[in-house]
Amino acid sequence: MDEPERVIATRDARFAAYQLDGAYDEMFTPDGVPRPPYASLYKRLLELTPAELETRQQTADLSFLHQGITFTVYSDARGTERIFPYDLLPRIITAAEWEMVERGLVQRITALNLFLHDIYHKGQILADKVVPVDLVISSKHYRRQMRNLDVPHGVYVAVTGTDLIRLPDGRFAVLEDNLRVPSGASYMLANRQVMKRVFPGLFSLYGVRPLEFYGQALQNTLAALSPVGAEETTTVLLSPGVFNSAYFEHTFLARQMGIPLVEGRDLVVHDNIVYMRTTAGLRRVDVIYRRIDDDFIDPLAFRKDSMLGVAGLFNAYRSGSVTLANAIGTGVADDKAVYAYVPAIIRYYLGEDAILPNIETYQCGDEKERGFVLANLDKLVVKAVGESGGYGMLVGPHSTAAERETFRTLIESDPRNYIAQPTINLSRAPCFLDGQVEARHVDLRPYILYGKRVTILPGGLTRVALRRGSLVVNSSQGGGSKDTWVLNW
Amino acid sequence: MNAMLSRVADSLYWMSRYLERADHVARQFDVHLTIVTEQAVDVARRRRRRLITCLVNEDEYAAAEASDYDLAYLLTFDEDNPSSLVNCIASARENAHQVREQINSQMWEQINQMYLTMRSQSMADLWSGQPHNFYHWINQEIYRFQGITDSRIMRDQGWHFVQIGRYLERASETADSLNVDFRELYSSALETDAVDQQTYLEWVGLLRGCAAYEAYSKVYTANVQPRHIVEFLLLSPIFPYSVRFGINRIQSSLQFVGEETETPKSARIFRLSGRQRAMLDYAQVDEIIDGGLGSYLLNIQNQCAQIHQLIYETYIAYSIEDKLSTR
């Protein structure tokens, strides 16, 4: 990061501000030469005038606005709807790179699913002291109500969105596992639809693996987990409703799957059976793809003040009459403190080394590591273990002294709740911004489906930190996204 | 047995109703603006008052001395008036949003674009520009939405709830306009004399406001007679804005929903809508006028309100205990 900033030598003015330094650049080698998979895109960019690119950007933006692909900003009291910023230029991943990502993800999700089953049953891995028992029990997302409950087909995490980053040496690494209610798949699909409209020629030239089957794959995954036969299964998507920031995604996925979108008020539980209220009376529900957090799903079992859930749902679930996807209590395995143990978890259950590396993680719960973290707050990224969406996070090198003091106090008062990682220089990809092509930091969230077998969508959501220099890609923190192309070659 | 979520039926119904109301408000006011330019001050004042009675349902407004500018604001941008265009379109869009996955993408994009454009308009632009273009635009956009709906969506229960919302609103609006105008403009003297020029303008206004003038002329020629107007707006079996046409559509859609959901044949909602349909099918215009048009129309509006109530009790807000006991 301390290296002097270099700008690539090109005759074209629109790359004038393109930054090349210690971060891995998706498009250019360190010498400023386009990497082979990006060569055609680069050539095309030089052919198009900035005005032509601008027109395409406007077409894309307008399409998102009209489709209502917007999100709500919580920190804004008026609950403003905004378009999720879309970057025009695709992020490209080769077949060879993807093959390894895919193997790594299958391995990881298989191990994490075994881990969840184990800790909610015998707890062998805890007895063997591979993962500290305190760490698991004290996790904000551990649900004792799940102990000794057998989930259908042993699948806890039907849908996962794992956050990957690319290290300066070009390897992909796992930044975070999202095993609760990962979102963003609809943006991945919407980005692709728009991309095909604004760059049709380039798209067909490249040989990109399709994503359109996501709706069907998700529907099949859910039906495979049904307590009754797939034929007679009624599957619904449970949404908190129209005020939720991900409501667009809920409606989009329900449409893609051809299943009803329900809210808590549409469901009733009677004698441990879940019904939905229809014009023809009550109709039985077998599988619920729930997009509501554990805490809010049933006011009788969890948070009493929840207005979003369904009273009695957890008991119905316990009785086995209905499947919840994902299962309750999966968040314990994506706790940022448990994350540090995932390579050990993989070795324990599968006897293999992790294919995708972790980022080095310091546990503030450990006295020695905490000392190191507190002494290096200006260099590290500190995260609250149970949070997501870029909330509750300190990026040391970009922080003020006052922010660091706040986090020092937070860490000292509740050390278990914080971890720290070195500030990783995420890779950068080209983005079209104000008539220029500039490099911005990106990550990648592939989606993994686990029903009868594990299915991984080729690509995923590439999130972009649109602010220059920013390392935070979350949409709530000014991030955008771009289409991700996994090539056939 | 086919079923759809009660909440979805509810939202489709209201989406459709609010759009129909917006269509009616925009057309009525557009017609008003063209007619009022040719009217004497006191005639125009009475016209404005009738419009407020029909479109706002608030006595406080009726008492006030509203200018056309005030009226334009009240009917278009006033957030406190539940029937203002901005509120109708926002509510329709909100209901469409609630069932985003049920309606097709074209429907959603159409209503969303309409809403966004509406939001970007200001009263100053509207009034200093050409108000007619604006109201005409509203009608065109709503027709486009209805066109997409009618050409694209499956004829399942959802479509029938859209129909019920549209025609309940339309039948009530037509009945209301007819009632308010007739009360003030009609006298038996009109039956014998030729209609004078000023009153002619008002009767044509009534027809235009109900999207009926061109269709009326095709049936009765341009000879504008109050009795014919009543017959046409109330009893035409083939004119889509007539009360009878709407009641027929409501009855058939309720029939469809009833069969799909296996509602008992004896249900109150069937008896009521069937009786209402039969009443209009066999009615004679002379008998209606002699017996008092006002009370006849009031009865129709009350029945429409009852049908609305029964839809809720039967399909949407029923008690869980009742349904569990009949399983």
Side-chain angles (χ1 to χ4, degrees):
Chain A
M1 282 206 98
D2 299 321
E3 269 183 66
E5 192 177 295
R6 280 182 294 116
V7 164
I8 50 168
T10 166
R11 277 159 305 192
D12 196 273
R14 80 197 73 177
F15 283 90
Y18 201 99
Q19 198 182 352
L20 276 182
D21 53 30
Y24 182 88
D25 192 88
E26 300 281 338
M27 188 177 202
F28 294 105
T29 66
D31 306 324
V33 180
R35 298 179 192 277
Y38 277 89
S40 302
L41 174 66
Y42 181 66
K43 191 163 150 273
R44 187 82 184 102
L45 282 178
L46 296 182
E47 287 163 9
L48 290 165
T49 65
E52 282 172 319
L53 283 169
E54 197 55 57
T55 311
R56 282 161 209 243
Q57 181 74 53
Q58 282 165 5
T59 307
D61 288 350
L62 214 56
S63 160
F64 285 117
L65 181 67
H66 288 166
Q67 289 182 66
I69 306 184
T70 53
F71 66 95
T72 315
V73 185
Y74 282 127
S75 48
D76 179 338
R78 287 167 305 166
T80 310
E81 277 178 41
R82 278 203 218 138
I83 325 183
F84 194 50
Y86 167 76
D87 181 69
L88 207 52
L89 309 179
R91 189 255 186 95
I92 302 172
I93 297 172
T94 64
E97 288 171 330
W98 186 250
E99 193 270 335
M100 190 169 118
V101 168
E102 218 169 22
R103 275 195 297 126
L105 290 174
V106 172
Q107 178 196 52
R108 195 168 175 103
I109 199 62
T110 308
L112 286 172
N113 199 66
L114 290 169
F115 172 68
L116 283 164
H117 184 271
D118 189 11
I119 60 164
Y120 285 122
H121 289 79
K122 283 191 190 142
Q124 205 60 53
I125 195 168
L126 308 177
D128 291 343
K129 300 201 182 334
V130 175
V131 176
V133 66
D134 291 352
L135 199 68
V136 170
I137 306 293
S138 66
S139 169
K140 185 175 158 190
H141 298 290
Y142 177 79
R143 295 283 174 268
R144 59 183 165 69
Q145 295 92 332
M146 288 297 289
R147 292 189 61 175
N148 296 319
L149 193 153
D150 290 322
V151 301
H153 307 273
V155 176
Y156 283 82
V157 274
V159 185
T160 307
T162 303
D163 290 343
L164 302 178
I165 59 171
R166 217 202 260 262
L167 302 171
D169 63 9
R171 283 181 308 152
F172 280 100
V174 178
L175 185 63
E176 212 170 285
D177 301 286
N178 294 288
L179 306 173
R180 284 168 277 162
V181 283
S183 62
S186 62
Y187 297 115
M188 162 183 83
L189 298 170
N191 284 353
R192 175 60 55 85
Q193 280 173 6
V194 167
M195 176 57 83
K196 287 201 282 193
R197 231 176 291 159
V198 295
F199 277 127
L202 197 61
F203 190 85
S204 55
L205 174 79
Y206 256 99
V208 181
R209 293 194 199 168
L211 294 171
E212 276 73 6
F213 64 97
Y214 185 71
Q216 192 192 357
L218 180 55
Q219 154 73 18
N220 289 345
T221 299
L222 296 170
L225 303 178
S226 174
V228 299
E231 286 295 301
E232 68 255 44
T233 291
T234 299
T235 306
V236 299
L237 185 152
L238 175 60
S239 164
V242 70
F243 298 108
N244 187 268
S245 61
Y247 182 70
F248 162 74
E249 166 144 320
H250 305 161
T251 65
F252 185 94
L253 293 177
R255 230 168 345 120
Q256 295 282 321
M257 287 188 277
I259 64 172
L261 177 150
V262 302
E263 296 177 17
R265 57 190 161 129
D266 296 323
L267 300 180
V268 286
V269 179
H270 183 76
D271 282 347
N272 282 341
I273 307 282
V274 182
Y275 299 98
M276 58 179 172
R277 298 176 64 110
T278 76
T279 53
L282 302 177
R283 182 165 171 176
R284 188 173 167 158
V285 171
D286 309 295
V287 180
I288 300 176
Y289 176 39
R290 49 105 175 195
R291 298 296 301 252
I292 296 184
D293 288 337
D294 288 356
D295 277 346
F296 295 96
I297 207 155
D298 180 352
L300 296 180
F302 304 103
R303 271 178 67 156
K304 312 230 172 331
D305 58 344
S306 170
M307 305 291 285
L308 306 172
V310 186
L313 180 56
F314 188 71
N315 264 344
Y317 179 56
R318 275 203 78 95
S319 81
S321 77
V322 66
T323 299
L324 292 176
N326 292 346
I328 305 277
T330 52
V332 63
D334 72 15
D335 183 296
K336 291 180 175 69
V338 173
Y339 161 89
Y341 292 90
V342 176
I345 290 171
I346 292 173
R347 212 170 299 118
Y348 183 79
Y349 293 110
L350 306 177
E352 301 168 2
D353 286 332
I355 298 167
L356 293 169
N358 256 23
I359 306 298
E360 193 181 354
T361 301
Y362 306 99
Q363 309 271 1
C364 297
D366 178 292
E367 205 181 320
K368 221 174 101 206
E369 300 196 350
R370 179 167 68 247
F372 176 80
V373 170
L374 292 176
N376 291 282
L377 280 178
D378 58 335
K379 300 187 189 68
L380 300 170
V381 175
V382 181
K383 296 173 180 174
V385 296
E387 297 288 337
S388 60
Y391 293 98
M393 182 171 158
L394 175 81
V395 181
H398 300 170
S399 64
T400 62
E403 285 165 350
R404 288 195 292 276
E405 275 321 297
T406 309
F407 266 79
R408 180 184 302 279
T409 317
L410 286 170
I411 293 170
E412 281 168 347
S413 63
D414 186 6
R416 161 67 179 86
N417 196 36
Y418 292 91
I419 57 112
Q421 293 170 334
T423 306
I424 303 286
N425 213 351
L426 308 183
S427 65
R428 288 203 196 91
C431 296
F432 181 68
L433 299 162
D434 300 326
Q436 291 262 318
V437 180
E438 294 193 36
R440 288 290 182 269
H441 292 295
V442 295
D443 78 350
L444 173 65
R445 175 178 289 184
Y447 293 92
I448 306 141
L449 301 177
Y450 192 163
K452 273 208 185 81
R453 67 189 77 80
V454 180
T455 310
I456 298 178
L457 271 284
L461 186 68
T462 291
R463 298 185 298 174
V464 190
L466 288 171
R467 277 198 288 267
R468 192 184 177 94
S470 169
L471 289 166
V472 186
V473 296
N474 304 83
S475 58
S476 50
Q477 316 287 321
S481 73
K482 47 169 67 222
D483 192 17
T484 308
W485 293 2
V486 173
L487 304 180
N488 288 322
W489 44 282
Chain B
M1 181 177 75
N2 286 302
M4 72 185 300
L5 281 181
S6 298
R7 180 176 54 79
V8 169
D10 186 33
S11 286
L12 290 172
Y13 171 80
W14 277 112
M15 171 192 80
S16 175
R17 247 195 119 139
Y18 275 119
L19 275 185
E20 189 62 31
R21 187 171 302 170
D23 178 57
H24 185 76
V25 169
R27 189 176 39 255
Q28 285 281 1
F29 192 64
D30 191 17
V31 168
H32 170 77
L33 286 179
T34 59
I35 287 183
V36 84
T37 52
E38 297 184 63
Q39 286 186 320
V41 177
D42 59 323
V43 180
R45 187 183 299 136
R46 283 204 297 279
R47 187 164 216 295
R48 284 188 201 104
R49 206 166 290 151
R50 290 205 306 279
L51 211 56
I52 289 174
T53 312
C54 283
L55 302 182
V56 189
N57 299 324
E58 290 285 342
D59 295 339
E60 51 178 305
Y61 293 113
E65 194 61 30
S67 67
D68 282 329
Y69 179 91
D70 297 338
L71 210 49
Y73 180 76
L74 176 66
L75 295 177
T76 312
F77 292 109
D78 193 341
E79 306 252 354
D80 295 330
N81 169 19
S83 298
S84 68
L85 291 173
V86 74
N87 278 339
C88 282
I89 290 168
S91 301
R93 181 217 186 219
E94 196 51 48
N95 277 289
H97 199 197
Q98 293 268 1
V99 293
R100 178 71 179 76
E101 91 291 359
Q102 293 287 328
I103 59 178
N104 62 56
S105 306
Q106 287 77 13
M107 286 167 74
W108 165 252
E109 284 181 33
Q110 169 64 15
I111 201 167
N112 193 37
Q113 272 186 55
M114 191 175 163
Y115 167 82
L116 294 170
T117 313
M118 181 78 203
R119 277 273 161 214
S120 66
Q121 297 280 328
S122 75
M123 186 62 199
D125 294 343
L126 166 68
W127 206 248
S128 62
Q130 298 180 48
H132 166 74
N133 287 352
F134 173 77
Y135 294 106
H136 183 66
W137 170 80
I138 296 264
N139 288 126
Q140 294 293 87
E141 292 298 304
I142 292 170
Y143 290 147
R144 185 171 296 155
F145 180 84
Q146 292 175 340
I148 298 168
T149 307
D150 289 356
S151 61
R152 290 291 300 265
I153 71 175
M154 286 193 293
R155 269 34 176 180
D156 58 7
Q157 276 185 64
W159 190 72
H160 286 280
F161 276 101
V162 167
Q163 298 296 300
I164 294 167
R166 179 191 297 174
Y167 286 106
L168 261 181
E169 184 66 25
R170 194 180 280 186
S172 311
E173 300 284 12
T174 301
D176 202 26
S177 298
L178 191 57
N179 195 6
V180 170
D181 276 9
F182 218 78
R183 198 162 57 207
E184 192 166 302
L185 304 173
Y186 180 78
S187 72
S188 48
L190 287 172
E191 295 294 321
T192 48
D193 299 337
V195 173
D196 71 73
Q197 285 181 9
Q198 277 294 330
T199 324
Y200 177 84
L201 217 53
E202 291 287 20
W203 290 116
V204 169
L206 170 60
L207 286 169
R208 286 223 168 98
C210 297
Y213 181 67
E214 290 179 17
Y216 174 93
S217 302
K218 279 176 84 174
V219 178
Y220 300 96
T221 73
N223 177 21
V224 170
Q225 288 294 332
R227 201 164 283 263
H228 290 164
I229 292 178
V230 175
E231 185 170 60
F232 191 63
L233 290 183
L234 191 55
L235 301 178
S236 168
I238 55 172
F239 173 59
Y241 283 78
S242 84
V243 175
R244 181 177 167 196
F245 187 94
I247 299 298
N248 280 353
R249 286 302 184 93
I250 293 163
Q251 198 266 338
S252 346
S253 284
L254 285 173
Q255 195 71 40
F256 181 94
V257 172
E259 281 163 17
E260 286 270 296
T261 57
E262 296 174 8
T263 310
K265 287 213 167 21
S266 59
R268 280 172 66 207
I269 192 162
F270 293 153
R271 281 185 280 142
L272 184 65
S273 64
R275 195 173 65 206
Q276 195 182 19
R277 178 176 183 161
M279 183 182 92
L280 284 162
D281 280 351
Y282 295 106
Q284 298 279 348
V285 68
D286 294 336
E287 285 172 15
I288 292 172
I289 292 180
D290 293 347
L293 179 67
S295 59
Y296 190 88
L297 289 170
L298 198 63
N299 184 28
I300 287 181
Q301 282 171 296
N302 285 339
Q303 286 177 348
C304 286
Q306 278 181 49
I307 287 178
H308 168 86
Q309 189 61 34
L310 287 171
I311 289 171
Y312 268 73
E313 287 172 18
T314 317
Y315 300 115
I316 295 170
Y318 51 76
S319 101
I320 307 273
E321 287 70 26
D322 289 354
K323 296 286 173 178
L324 280 169
S325 62
T326 57
R327 284 188 68 80

